[in-house]
Amino acid sequence: SDLVKLPGVSIFDMEIQPEHRAFPFSRKVHACATAEKLLDGKVATMLYFDTEMLAFSSFAMLQLQKDYDLSLRPVMLLNTVGQSPESPVDGFWQAIYDDAGVDSTNIPTIRAYVDEKDIRFYINCEVMTLRPELGICRTWQKMFVKRLQDPQFMQTYCNDQLHAVFLHQAVLSAVLLTKVSQERIQWIPDKTIYSVLLHDRLPKAKQVATLNSVPIAGYDLQFAHDPALITRVPTDEPYRTWVIDTFCALLQEPPGGYREEGDCNTVVV
């Protein structure tokens, strides 16, 4: 792979049970735990990016200031997983809170980024900066695997797509309540990371005119299954052409044939 040849890039194996590999975002949780273990005691901060993220400028705004231990964003949408402060805690969240030793009657409230509604503490983790010494990701991995290994929990509470997809974020939210005090969270400012997938759902004040005006863009192409997503938000040249050409080159197999990734791989000519 050309990636291995890039200066400063290292590839490491991660330990993960074969039956856990296919579960949504399981490999992400295990990769973060592996990286945190490798970096503990060697660096002060660890920066995590999801796949399909594109940086248009430096990561300076993501660097942790001295009085903070964590930087990330609130969850985007309430959907059916997040809960308003007035609603009773359901069995999905109660099991996760119990694992973490969190009092479910005393959960801090934050505001969902896109919905702009109050919500019990529930975060987005597509980009985050943290201190490896706190062991956040290793605790996240243990609690996540514990939920995966509970057949009754999985059959009862993760039998729909949204709860399965966002189990990793719910578990991390509970872990953070035990690892980081609210005043030591450095919330990422608006328009620092921009979700192309949610562009049309964002409040007007949070939308951007051109994608390259934000430091970091997230595409979520694998989730959307829509290649047209790469041109949804206007992008100035030469960035627009570079994004399209790079995306096409990534998927091209034979000349004029493009791999379409999903539950199976097909080639579109």
Side-chain angles (χ1 to χ4, degrees), residues 52-164:
E52 301 185 340
M53 307 297 290
L54 177 61
F56 288 103
S57 63
S58 78
F59 304 149
M61 77 297 294
L62 299 175
Q63 181 64 42
L64 286 178
Q65 302 303 309
K66 65 177 183 178
D67 294 328
Y68 298 96
D69 293 324
L70 174 74
S71 181
L72 37 55
R73 292 195 295 173
V75 75
M76 299 289 192
L77 304 167
L78 220 63
N79 55 53
T80 59
V81 179
Q83 295 195 296
S84 66
E86 300 80 21
S87 62
V89 176
D90 64 16
F92 172 82
W93 281 100
Q94 189 61 60
I96 294 170
Y97 290 147
D98 289 345
D99 286 346
V102 170
D103 179 1
S104 62
T105 66
N106 190 31
I107 306 298
T109 298
I110 58 175
R111 198 161 180 83
Y113 185 74
V114 176
D115 284 340
E116 295 190 326
K117 296 178 180 178
D118 288 340
I119 186 173
R120 287 196 190 98
F121 187 81
Y122 179 29
I123 54 80
N124 173 283
C125 58
E126 63 184 352
V127 174
M128 56 182 175
T129 311
L130 50 82
R131 300 198 184 280
E133 65 197 51
L134 297 179
I136 290 170
C137 295
R138 283 163 284 183
T139 304
W140 182 23
Q141 179 189 38
K142 290 176 183 177
M143 281 183 50
F144 182 75
V145 169
K146 182 177 180 179
R147 288 297 99 219
L148 294 184
Q149 293 177 334
D150 184 338
Q152 184 175 357
F153 173 86
M154 298 302 292
Q155 291 167 13
T156 304
Y157 301 114
C158 291
N159 56 8
D160 64 278
Q161 183 185 26
L162 286 176
H163 281 83

Side-chain angles (χ1 to χ4, degrees), residues 177-247:
L177 290 173
T178 69
K179 291 282 189 179
V180 183
S181 61
Q182 293 294 294
E183 60 270 17
R184 293 191 67 84
I185 298 177
Q186 179 180 301
W187 294 107
I188 296 174
D190 292 358
K191 297 183 181 179
T192 299
I193 306 165
Y194 199 78
S195 172
V196 176
L197 178 64
L198 296 176
H199 173 71
D200 296 330
R201 300 180 65 174
L202 279 165
K204 290 296 182 182
K206 292 180 178 178
Q207 289 184 347
V208 297
T210 57
L211 193 59
N212 51 283
S213 66
V214 299
I216 302 163
Y219 284 94
D220 294 307
L221 286 158
Q222 293 184 51
F223 183 78
H225 301 295
D226 179 10
L229 199 64
I230 61 174
T231 57
R232 177 174 293 180
V233 183
T235 307
D236 293 331
E237 294 292 356
Y239 303 107
R240 183 180 186 277
T241 297
W242 182 88
V243 168
I244 294 172
D245 289 349
T246 302
F247 178 66

Side-chain angles (χ1 to χ4, degrees), residues 31-33 35-36 39 43-48 128-132 137:
C32 285
E36 184 185 71
L39 296 173
V43 298
T45 59
M46 167 178 139
L47 175 58
Y48 170 81
M128 56 182 175
T129 311
L130 50 82
R131 300 198 184 280
C137 295

